[in-house]
C-alpha cells in the first residue's frame, strides 16, 4: 500500500523504508553524529531528523534531498515533532530547551 517507515541510526543516517516489502527506498546522509529521532510531516512530504550534532534537518521524503538544516540548540537534539496545528517543528535537546521553528 506504499506505507513508509523512517529510522535513525548510529551511522549518522536516516532511512525511509517501504513497510510491506521491507526495502529501503532512500538513505538520508548529512548529519555528523547519531540520528536520535525522526518524524514525518502530516502529509508525508517531509521527514524531520534530530541528531546528536545539535541540528535538525528537514528532508524531502520522496527525493531524499535536504530541504533545510535547523541550528540553534547548544547540545544533542533528542526529539522532533511536526505540529500541524501550529505549523511549526518542535525540538527538544540535551541542553534542556524546547524550541519551536516556523
Amino acid at each position: 500500500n506504499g506505507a513508509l517507515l523512517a529510522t535513525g541510526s548510529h551511522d549518522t543516517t536516516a532511512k525511509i523504508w517501504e513497510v510491506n516489502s521491507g526495502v529501503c527506498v532512500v538513505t538520508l546522509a548529512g548529519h555528523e553524529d547519531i540520528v536520535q529521532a525522526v518524524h514525518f510531516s502530516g502529509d508525508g512530504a517531509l521527514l524531520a531528523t534530530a541528531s546528536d550534532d545539535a541540528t535538525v534537518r528537514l528532508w524531502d521524503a520522496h527525493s531524499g534531498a535536504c530541504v533545510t538544516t535547523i541550528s540553534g540548540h547548544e547540545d544533542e537534539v533528542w526529539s522532533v515533532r511536526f505540529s500541524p496545528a501550529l505549523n511549526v517543528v518542535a525540538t527538544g535537546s540535551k541542553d534542556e530547551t524546547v524550541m519551536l521553528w516556523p
Side-chain angles (χ1 to χ4, degrees):
N1 66 4
L4 300 176
L5 171 78
T7 59
S9 176
H10 279 242
D11 72 2
T12 74
T13 69
K15 295 181 185 290
I16 299 176
W17 306 84
E18 206 285 320
V19 173
N20 289 336
S21 68
V23 172
C24 176
V25 294
V26 65
T27 298
L28 309 171
H31 282 292
E32 297 176 8
D33 208 336
I34 297 167
V35 177
Q36 292 282 2
V38 297
H39 190 244
F40 281 105
S41 60
D43 62 4
L46 295 174
L47 180 73
T49 57
S51 172
D52 283 1
D53 67 8
T55 69
V56 170
R57 290 180 182 251
L58 301 182
W59 307 85
D60 181 301
H62 302 290
S63 72
C66 182
V67 176
T68 192
T69 301
I70 300 170
S71 300
H73 283 291
E74 296 178 9
D75 210 335
E76 301 165 2
V77 184
W78 288 345
S79 61
V80 63
R81 297 292 285 187
F82 282 95
S83 173
L86 299 175
N87 200 30
V88 297
V89 174
T91 58
S93 172
K94 183 179 178 182
D95 67 13
E96 299 181 357
T97 63
V98 172
M99 294 188 173
L100 302 177
W101 310 92

